[in-house]
């Protein structure tokens, strides 16, 4: 059976390796965006090593229901943590200590990718920023995932998904004419902080294979969301302003593309934009 990416093995006597087989990723990220990005890489065959600090580690370990893993010696962990960190190996390092930095530099020397989600400047302060790692491994692809990028007036600000979609203008577009709503899908975290980094990492890996040089992939989740806000941007280009919330072609402005309550108290989604489906 195909996996999430439709990567079915060839019908032969041996299984074909996945496309990222042989790629090693050092994952320093926490919570949702970075772990989902490296989860996608792991699903495509990469060897992902999740590296946590020696204290609390990834806070996702205790978010939501926490239960025993069933593996002797493994600590209890949340279902959320297991969901976004499956298919990875794990270790703990204290990068604030010389011994921890030394171990990490040795790991980076043989790695293909490093993914981190700290505030700008934290990795450099620890002595394991892009310049330090590129010095020991020029082919390394180093990806930083932040809310607002490595520089600029908002670079050092903390934030979450709701802040990033708000600043990108997408939060204002979600909801009805009466009020915006908080979506139950983390657009900035998953589109901006997971899929966008994966795209940049894969492109940089291809370039490193041919050029022998890696690069620093700087992902700002807010920028990534704005870049994908196609219809609001189209409205601005056509009319000088974004469409009012709930009035656009794909957000409730058309009766043929909307949701309707049914007699049994549920909801039905209607999507009939093409002319043949509307005129019969």
């Amino acid at each position: 059976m195909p996996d999430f990416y439709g990567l079915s093995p060839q019908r032969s006597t041996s299984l074909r390796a996945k496309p990222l087989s042989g790629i090693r990723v050092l994952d320093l990220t926490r919570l949702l965006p970075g772990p989902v990005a490296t989860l996608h890489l792991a699903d495509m065959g990469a060897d992902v090593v999740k590296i946590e600090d020696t204290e609390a580690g990834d806070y996702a370990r205790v978010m939501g229901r926490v239960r025993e893993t069933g593996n002797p010696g493994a600590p209890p962990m949340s279902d959320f943590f297991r969901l976004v960190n499956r298919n990875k190996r794990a270790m703990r390092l204290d990068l604030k200590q010389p011994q921890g930095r030394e171990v990490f530099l040795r790991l980076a020397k043989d790695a293909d990718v490093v993914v981190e989600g700290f505030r700008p400047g934290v990795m450099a302060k620890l002595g394991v920023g892009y310049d330090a790692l590129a010095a020991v491994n020029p082919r390394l692809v180093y990806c930083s995932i932040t809310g607002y990028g490595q520089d600029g007036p908002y670079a050092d600000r903390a934030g979450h998904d709701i802040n990033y979609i708000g600043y990108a203008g997408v939060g204002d577009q979600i909801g009805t004419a009466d009020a915006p709503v908080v979506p139950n899908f983390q657009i900035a975290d998953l589109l901006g902080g997971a899929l966008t980094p994966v795209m940049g990492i894969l492109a940089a890996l291809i370039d490193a294979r041919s050029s022998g040089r890696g690069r620093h992939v700087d992902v700002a989740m807010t920028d990534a969301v704005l870049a994908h806000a196609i219809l609001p941007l189209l409205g601005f280009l056509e009319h000088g302003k974004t469409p009012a919330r709930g009035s656009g072609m794909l957000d409730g402005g058309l009766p043929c593309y909307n949701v309707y309550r049914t007699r049994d108290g549920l909801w039905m989604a209607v999507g009939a934009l093409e002319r043949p489906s509307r005129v019969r």
Side-chain angles (χ1 to χ4, degrees):
M1 294 292 292
D3 64 11
F4 178 81
Y5 289 91
L7 302 174
S8 299
Q10 287 184 330
R11 293 182 178 178
S12 64
T13 56
S14 61
L15 296 179
R16 183 180 179 184
K18 289 189 174 183
L20 295 186
S21 178
I23 298 295
R24 177 165 294 174
V25 179
L26 304 182
D27 177 12
L28 292 165
T29 64
R30 301 172 177 174
L31 298 175
L32 184 62
V36 172
T38 57
L39 173 64
H40 289 316
L41 297 176
D43 282 347
M44 290 187 282
D47 174 19
V48 178
V49 181
K50 184 177 180 67
I51 300 175
E52 299 174 73
D53 63 70
T54 55
E55 297 177 0
D58 187 343
Y59 319 131
R61 284 185 174 274
V62 293
M63 294 180 66
R65 184 179 70 163
V66 177
R67 58 193 175 108
E68 298 290 341
T69 63
N71 296 325
M77 60 186 71
S78 70
D79 293 335
F80 171 50
F81 181 86
R82 288 148 57 104
L83 181 65
V84 300
N85 289 289
R86 59 175 172 77
N87 204 19
K88 304 174 187 178
R89 297 192 289 159
M91 67 183 300
R92 289 190 179 246
L93 286 177
D94 186 353
L95 295 179
K96 296 178 181 178
Q97 300 300 321
Q99 300 92 332
R101 288 194 295 273
E102 181 182 346
V103 170
F104 186 76
L105 288 169
R106 289 206 306 267
L107 292 171
K109 186 175 182 179
D110 296 321
D112 299 284
V113 180
V114 168
V115 186
E116 58 94 5
F118 297 110
R119 290 192 188 187
V122 169
M123 289 286 283
K125 187 179 296 185
L126 292 171
V128 289
Y130 174 67
D131 291 338
L133 298 188
V136 299
N137 183 357
R139 298 173 62 93
L140 184 71
V141 173
Y142 181 106
C143 179
S144 298
I145 305 171
T146 60
Y148 308 106
Q150 295 298 300
D151 50 42
Y154 284 16
D156 292 326
R157 290 194 180 189
H160 287 286
D161 180 270
I162 193 170
N163 308 115
Y164 309 143
I165 65 171
Y167 278 122
V170 170
D172 179 65
Q173 293 285 304
I174 301 172
T176 66
D178 296 328
V181 299
V182 180
N184 189 26
F185 184 90
Q186 291 67 48
I187 298 170
D189 285 350
L190 298 174
L191 168 65
L195 292 183
T196 299
V198 167
M199 180 171 60
I201 288 168
L202 295 179
L205 279 172
I206 293 172
D207 178 59
R209 287 284 176 93
S210 59
S211 69
R213 296 179 57 191
R215 64 178 67 222
H216 187 184
V217 179
D218 174 13
V219 177
M221 288 182 271
T222 304
D223 292 353
V225 173
L226 177 62
H228 288 87
I230 302 301
L231 291 185
L233 291 171
L234 176 62
F236 186 82
L237 290 173
E238 290 182 339
H239 306 293
K241 61 181 180 179
T242 57
R245 184 176 52 252
S247 68
M249 183 175 69
L250 300 181
D251 69 338
L254 295 179
C256 59
Y257 197 90
N258 215 321
V259 291
Y260 297 92
R261 186 179 289 277
T262 57
R263 185 178 298 173
D264 58 3
L266 301 178
W267 294 84
M268 179 177 70
V270 175
L273 292 174
E274 293 73 21
R275 186 172 180 81
S277 63
R278 290 187 280 127
V279 181
R280 289 194 176 181

